[in-house]
Amino acid sequence: METFLQLIVLFFNQYIFGFAMVVMFSYLLIIVFSALEMRSYLRKNSNTDYNNILVSEFAPSVSIIAPAYNEAPNIVDNVRSLLSLHYNNYEVIVVNDGSSDATLAEMTSAFDLKKQNYAINSRIKTEEIRGVYRSNNPGLERLIVVDKVNGGKADALNAGINISHNSLILCIDADCIIEPDAILKLVKPFMDEPIKVIAAGGVIRIANTCEVKHGRLVKVHMPNDLLSRFQVLEYLRGFLLGRMAWSRINGLLIVSGAMGLFDKDIVIKCGGYSTKTVGEDMELVLRMRKYMHKHKTPYKVVYTPDPLCWTEAPSSLKILGRQRNRWSRGCLESLIMHRDLFFNPKYGTLGLISYPYWLLVEWMGPVIEFIGLIVFGLLIYLGLVNWTYTLILLVMVYSFVLAISTLTILYEELSFRQYTSGKDLVKLLLLSFIEPFIYHPLILYWEMKGNFDFLTGKKAWGKMNRNGFR
Amino acid sequence: MDIIYNYMSLYYSGIYDLPRNILIALLIAFFSLSLLIIFYFSIIIKRLIYIFYKSRDQYWTEQIDQLLNMFLSDIDEEQITDPVAKILSEFRKIPLKKRFIKHLLYQQILAYHKNFTGNAAEKLKELFLQLHLEDITKNKLMSGIVQLKIRGIMDTAQLTLTEFSPIVEQLLHHRSSEIRIEAQAAYIILNKAHPFDFFDEVKEPIQDWHQLVLLDLITRLNSNELPNFSRWLSSNNRSVIELCLKLIVHFQQYEAIGRIVDLLNHPDTEIKHLSIQALGEFEAVDAEQALLDCYAHETVEIQAEIIKALGRINSGKQLDFFMHTAALQQFEIAFEASKALIASGTKGIELLKKYQVQAPPMNKQILNQLIG
């Protein structure tokens, strides 16, 4: 019996160690690919004159779709900021998703909106549209406000897609701050890639404590609270390393829901956003990619490393917990919905690399870590821990994580250097030391809770209270 | 010495006795910590270099700006006959032997030149040449670094440095698409006699972005100096045809209508799409039958585009066709056909109003939006 138990422990040790090696190796590959992609992007675009596209009548037309639910305090500023982006051919569609506050009333009075007869090409089924509003003011010609029965973010985006007139759709969160030249930079890949681009994402950054004036970001600062600071580091790592690397090998599975530019035709052919998952952004990209594979059309999903969108990160544990719980559920839902991709050679990189990575590393990683912690606790209780070896293993993991975080900060320093103040740089570097002990366990807990909630059938989005920008 | 040796051997044999996994872990930890130190040094050095360059360049940029502003105000002074000669002596006081100062001056003159036109721009170019800054442009053009080469081409085009035209010409078919774009754009500016010669030879696809750059440039040229772009509508390069169709429409080259009608049977959907659009823009009555002939066997998107074009042509002969298509259950087609009927005047609107009463919900919704 004892030998059998020893065998199990030995197998467990070997398996977990092997898994850790695979994860570390995949991170090393991510570092290499993201460096290559970043270098290639900076080289390609360092001399680009975006004024060409800004003023050109031949630039592709874009519809910005911003779903809004109970956004009354900030909606007017946010819409004004969207209306003043640096681009020529675009329209702004704000979808009031059955808000219970004065979101619609605020917009109606600020923009002099009038309800209009509007023919809607309902290519995607949505909740009932109560009305379409436009302004009599010729200066607000590009604004369309849609009022509909509440159906969730995905449903609101679908309603916006049905209303839109243009070939490219930029789906954004209404409470984000979009950089003025965001459309210019996102549109370019659709025009200069030799193969069809079906979706493009931009880097999302944390705007907490940054200075905002009239819906525009004027100065970047590190957030005041520790929780938001951790998210700064986390977002930098996620976007500058992760997404850039996946973009390099055309293996991106997600374009952030906060901001993504899509080929409308393909989105409609795929049936639009799914209302059956809380991870609608990831699910849509998966479905679009599968569609392109099925039709044997070469395609690309790309990422732009420029900071194009600034979002307010949750600064309370409760709200952050809800968000991560939802992300975790959304990821698992999307992975299960598209399980036929798993090691399916028919889908190339998508089936053989991206999907297995997301399933085995991104989703299963936290699960294995959690089981590992339970086993570790059990071994301590049984007095079976070799503390010297434990210390060595801990040093390995800690130094590796620290090296990755520091490398991300170096990437930021070499590329966009948003945190110009020396103090902010020191704060970022110090954060990386404590993040594995304070922030990481919290994220792990919320991810596990998300998995548990998925198993118990929880479907709620979770209320997201924001403090607003200063 | 013996004591140290004994301790070391004990230490090493201790390490070799460790389990394989722990040995690997030690190696990874060592590797990661070494990288960590390198990354920290890189961050610190990068930040220090940034601060150093920023403060150094700031001082000299201010000095240069002062002189350039003085120069620009001298240009407007009637008493000063040769402002370039006057300011040259001032510029020569700056230590231009230092490479970075010369480069700063180069950048600043180009930046000012970009923001001025007419006499001021001419004088800035003269100053640039008098200071022999074109050597920097030449070095950039000859550089093996793609980014520098591109910058060199852009600078050549901006200042119209025709003496570098042969270098630019060699880059027209470069394997790097970024270099190609800029070289072709610069060639159009530098080669006044035959700026579009390269259209005959270009093999690689001109991507949409590249087309946009060229369109932006060409549409700013004097239309009297432009060729008839229809001569490239039979090109083997699909993208050249696309670009020329856009140019034909922009410059309203009506003589191309016949060649455009031929493209209605082109196998490429985008070319077909652009051709239909062009015929609509030209309100080409002669092309009406050709458009109707190809309607039946096209996709919904192309059919909608054909109706749109016929609506623009507005000959008054297609009311029955428009009415038939306005009653279809295809949103895009019904919408365009209804718009075409409205554009055709009272008769069309009457027909729509009559239909509105008994129209199915989708068509009724369209008519409610368009005619209330």
Side-chain angles (χ1 to χ4, degrees):
Chain A
M1 188 63 188
E2 203 175 313
T3 325
F4 181 68
L5 266 176
Q6 273 177 346
L7 264 174
I8 288 179
V9 170
L10 196 66
F11 171 77
F12 191 78
N13 278 347
Q14 293 298 333
Y15 174 73
I16 296 291
F17 191 81
F19 181 78
M21 289 302 105
V22 170
V23 172
M24 284 178 168
F25 183 67
S26 63
Y27 280 138
L28 287 180
L29 287 179
I30 282 174
I31 289 169
V32 174
F33 286 133
S34 61
L36 290 173
E37 183 67 356
M38 182 74 86
R39 194 180 66 160
S40 147
Y41 177 84
L42 293 173
R43 281 187 176 179
K44 193 173 178 181
N45 294 290
S46 59
N47 287 315
T48 300
D49 183 359
Y50 286 98
N51 282 327
N52 288 330
I53 190 170
L54 175 64
V55 294
S56 176
E57 60 180 291
F58 302 101
S61 48
V62 176
S63 296
I64 299 180
I65 305 174
Y69 178 71
N70 289 351
E71 309 265 359
N74 297 318
I75 192 72
V76 173
D77 265 355
N78 291 340
V79 173
R80 281 213 175 101
S81 142
L82 291 177
L83 289 167
S84 58
L85 295 179
H86 297 170
Y87 201 72
N88 200 12
N89 302 340
Y90 80 103
E91 64 182 2
V92 177
I93 302 168
V94 184
V95 186
N96 176 43
D97 190 29
S99 299
S100 53
D101 68 356
T103 303
L104 183 64
E106 289 284 340
M107 284 191 283
T108 309
S109 92
F111 303 114
D112 188 21
L113 299 175
K114 297 277 179 296
K115 196 172 178 176
Q116 292 195 342
N117 280 325
Y118 208 90
I120 299 161
N121 189 4
S122 302
R123 285 160 292 189
I124 308 168
K125 211 172 165 241
T126 66
E127 290 292 335
E128 186 200 339
I129 289 177
R130 291 191 284 229
V132 177
Y133 296 76
R134 298 197 81 156
S135 177
N136 288 333
N137 180 345
L140 295 168
E141 210 182 2
R142 49 170 117 241
L143 176 65
I144 302 173
V145 174
V146 183
D147 182 34
K148 67 178 277 293
V149 173
N150 180 265
K153 187 182 170 188
D155 193 65
L157 286 165
N158 286 339
I161 293 168
N162 282 338
I163 295 276
S164 71
H165 299 98
N166 299 325
S167 53
L168 295 176
I169 46 168
L170 179 66
C171 299
I172 61 159
D173 281 348
D175 55 359
C176 281
I177 298 169
I178 308 289
E179 286 282 332
D181 52 2
I183 310 182
L184 296 171
K185 288 185 174 166
L186 278 177
V187 156
K188 190 169 179 269
F190 282 82
M191 303 181 73
D192 72 354
E193 287 289 343
I195 59 170
K196 188 176 180 69
V197 172
I198 57 167
V203 167
I204 316 293
R205 297 280 184 117
I206 304 291
N208 302 39
T209 321
C210 292
E211 286 169 41
V212 177
K213 232 178 209 174
H214 308 302
R216 283 277 166 86
L217 190 96
V218 286
K219 192 146 177 48
V220 179
H221 295 293
M222 271 295 272
N224 284 333
D225 62 292
L226 197 60
L227 202 58
S228 309
R229 281 184 197 169
F230 282 134
Q231 290 171 80
V232 168
L233 190 61
E234 186 191 23
Y235 274 50
L236 278 178
R237 219 170 29 221
F239 285 99
L240 289 186
L241 281 186
R243 306 251 169 127
M244 288 311 290
W246 287 111
S247 179
R248 178 78 187 177
I249 58 165
N250 193 17
L252 272 166
L253 288 199
I254 187 165
V255 167
S256 174
M259 188 175 66
L261 187 65
F262 299 91
D263 182 312
K264 188 173 83 174
D265 188 39
I266 306 294
V267 173
I268 289 172
K269 281 175 178 160
C270 292
Y273 281 94
S274 167
T275 50
K276 290 182 186 132
T277 169
V278 286
E280 75 290 328
D281 43 5
M282 181 177 180
E283 200 281 329
L284 177 68
V285 175
L286 273 164
R287 207 149 20 93
M288 287 173 77
R289 297 190 66 135
K290 275 170 91 173
Y291 175 88
M292 298 305 279
H293 275 281
K294 275 181 187 158
H295 289 82
K296 295 190 171 44
T297 314
Y299 72 96
K300 251 184 138 176
V301 177
V302 297
Y303 238 86
T304 301
D306 280 283
L308 300 179
C309 174
W310 296 79
T311 188
E312 187 191 345
S315 50
S316 84
L317 287 172
K318 201 169 148 189
I319 307 291
L320 181 64
R322 276 184 201 154
Q323 184 194 53
R324 296 316 160 98
N325 180 315
R326 192 182 72 241
W327 286 5
S328 181
R329 273 184 291 138
C331 171
L332 189 53
E333 279 169 359
S334 303
L335 290 173
I336 289 174
M337 281 163 99
H338 298 282
R339 56 191 175 277
D340 56 318
L341 287 171
F342 189 59
F343 281 119
N344 190 338
K346 215 167 76 182
Y347 293 103
T349 311
L350 175 67
L352 296 175
I353 302 173
S354 304
Y355 186 91
Y357 173 85
W358 271 80
L359 186 76
L360 301 176
V361 179
E362 292 288 336
W363 175 74
M364 217 164 88
V367 177
I368 288 179
E369 192 180 342
F370 186 71
I371 296 170
L373 284 172
I374 293 172
V375 173
F376 185 58
L378 203 69
L379 291 177
I380 293 175
Y381 177 73
L382 295 172
L384 294 173
V385 174
N386 180 329
W387 288 104
T388 315
Y389 292 174
T390 304
L391 190 69
I392 291 173
L393 289 169
L394 271 176
V395 169
M396 170 189 78
V397 174
Y398 183 63
S399 56
F400 189 81
V401 169
L402 207 55
I404 298 249
S405 294
T406 314
L407 178 67
T408 311
I409 300 167
L410 177 61
Y411 273 14
E412 165 71 356
E413 198 61 14
L414 292 170
S415 54
F416 301 103
R417 198 186 283 116
Q418 291 292 309
Y419 298 98
T420 46
S421 135
K423 271 186 192 168
D424 284 348
L425 181 66
V426 173
K427 279 179 197 165
L428 260 179
L429 289 169
L430 289 178
L431 269 179
S432 58
F433 280 96
I434 55 171
E435 190 214 11
F437 301 113
I438 301 172
Y439 186 65
H440 181 70
L442 288 171
I443 296 294
L444 180 65
Y445 168 72
W446 289 319
E447 280 176 342
M448 291 315 297
K449 194 163 181 305
N451 284 325
F452 179 76
D453 286 348
F454 171 79
L455 292 173
T456 53
K458 190 180 169 185
K459 292 273 176 199
W461 181 269
K463 204 175 170 194
M464 299 293 292
N465 296 328
R466 312 264 185 187
N467 296 328
F469 300 112
R470 70 177 176 131
Chain B
M1 204 57 193
D2 284 347
I3 295 168
I4 294 170
Y5 179 78
N6 287 341
Y7 177 76
M8 290 294 280
S9 57
L10 189 72
Y11 178 72
Y12 281 116
S13 63
I15 280 189
Y16 288 126
D17 288 343
L18 289 172
R20 197 190 55 202
N21 288 357
I22 300 300
L23 258 178
I24 294 172
L26 269 175
L27 266 174
I28 292 174
F30 177 74
F31 173 70
S32 304
L33 288 170
S34 312
L35 281 180
L36 188 67
I37 293 165
I38 295 169
F39 294 156
Y40 259 84
F41 269 110
S42 307
I43 291 171
I44 293 165
I45 289 167
K46 186 75 197 161
R47 190 45 83 106
L48 290 175
I49 290 173
Y50 168 72
I51 294 167
F52 168 74
Y53 280 139
K54 199 180 159 193
S55 56
R56 184 196 70 175
D57 292 354
Q58 196 177 357
Y59 172 78
W60 286 106
T61 308
E62 277 169 14
Q63 301 293 312
I64 292 165
D65 277 349
Q66 251 178 25
L67 289 176
L68 284 174
N69 285 326
M70 205 155 74
F71 171 64
L72 287 166
S73 58
D74 282 355
I75 292 172
D76 295 332
E77 291 284 333
E78 280 177 14
Q79 297 99 314
I80 302 168
T81 48
D82 192 353
V84 176
K86 184 180 172 254
I87 204 75
L88 265 179
S89 58
E90 295 295 325
F91 271 110
R92 283 186 181 133
K93 284 178 196 162
I94 294 177
L96 289 177
K97 276 185 185 161
K98 286 190 177 170
R99 213 168 147 256
F100 83 91
I101 297 177
K102 198 171 176 181
H103 275 262
L104 279 177
L105 176 61
Y106 177 91
Q107 280 165 18
Q108 288 308 96
I109 293 184
L110 277 164
Y112 274 70
H113 183 270
K114 205 172 189 175
N115 291 312
F116 285 93
T117 52
N119 192 31
E122 282 300 314
K123 292 291 173 196
L124 279 163
K125 182 182 169 183
E126 199 183 326
L127 177 67
F128 181 91
L129 294 172
Q130 290 285 337
L131 289 163
H132 303 295
L133 294 175
E134 74 274 23
D135 296 346
I136 298 178
T137 315
K138 193 175 179 185
N139 286 341
K140 284 184 179 180
L141 282 170
M142 305 307 283
S143 166
I145 301 166
V146 172
Q147 298 322 301
L148 277 182
K149 213 182 238 330
I150 291 173
R151 201 62 254 174
I153 301 169
M154 290 169 95
D155 298 347
T156 304
Q158 189 190 328
L159 294 169
T160 342
L161 300 173
T162 41
E163 68 264 39
F164 297 144
S165 189
I167 305 176
V168 171
E169 200 173 337
Q170 284 170 9
L171 303 171
L172 284 174
H173 305 288
H174 198 276
R175 63 180 186 281
S176 154
S177 62
E178 284 89 29
I179 292 180
R180 232 168 33 229
I181 294 178
E182 294 308 331
Q184 291 172 0
Y187 185 78
I188 291 171
I189 294 170
L190 299 172
N191 189 342
K192 295 275 183 220
H194 305 287
F196 304 104
D197 276 2
F198 68 92
F199 280 5
D200 292 323
E201 293 149 27
V202 65
K203 298 271 187 300
E204 305 80 5
I206 305 176
Q207 302 297 348
D208 287 351
W209 178 264
H210 185 173
Q211 288 190 30
L212 200 93
V213 173
L214 294 178
L215 283 162
D216 177 57
L217 180 76
I218 299 168
T219 50
R220 279 189 275 129
L221 297 177
N222 182 355
S223 57
N224 296 328
E225 294 167 5
L226 296 173
N228 186 342
F229 288 107
S230 66
R231 67 177 255 217
W232 288 287
L233 289 185
S234 49
S235 168
N236 290 327
N237 189 330
R238 188 187 63 84
S239 57
V240 171
I241 303 178
E242 277 180 29
L243 177 62
C244 289
L245 277 169
K246 291 173 190 167
L247 287 164
I248 286 167
V249 172
H250 184 85
F251 292 107
Q252 303 193 338
Q253 295 183 338
Y254 289 93
E255 60 275 24
I257 288 176
R259 304 286 296 270
I260 298 173
V261 170
D262 295 341
L263 291 176
L264 290 176
N265 296 316
H266 199 280
D268 186 277
T269 317
E270 186 56 27
I271 289 177
K272 212 181 279 182
H273 196 266
L274 286 170
S275 306
I276 297 165
Q277 263 181 357
L279 293 171
E281 290 281 340
F282 286 152
E283 298 174 12
V285 181
D286 296 346
E288 204 173 39
Q289 194 52 49
L291 285 166
L292 281 169
D293 289 346
C294 64
Y295 178 85
H297 44 263
E298 287 301 346
T299 59
V300 172
E301 288 80 15
I302 297 281
Q303 283 181 335
E305 204 55 54
I306 290 175
I307 296 172
K308 208 170 169 179
L310 289 170
R312 276 173 180 267
I313 293 170
N314 199 5
S315 66
K317 295 178 199 161
Q318 307 304 333
L319 291 184
D320 290 342
F321 173 71
F322 290 149
M323 197 53 242
H324 166 71
T325 44
L328 291 177
Q329 284 302 295
Q330 192 74 47
F331 187 92
E332 295 88 343
I333 291 178
F335 194 85
E336 290 304 334
S338 304
K339 269 169 67 178
L341 276 168
I342 293 166
S344 58
T346 331
K347 218 171 168 186
I349 297 171
E350 287 293 313
L351 281 171
L352 281 179
K353 279 190 174 160
K354 218 183 275 174
Y355 172 64
Q356 194 175 12
V357 188
Q358 29 118 23
M362 187 199 78
N363 306 64
K364 193 171 254 175
Q365 212 185 24
I366 292 172
L367 297 177
N368 287 346
Q369 181 188 335
L370 297 175
I371 54 177

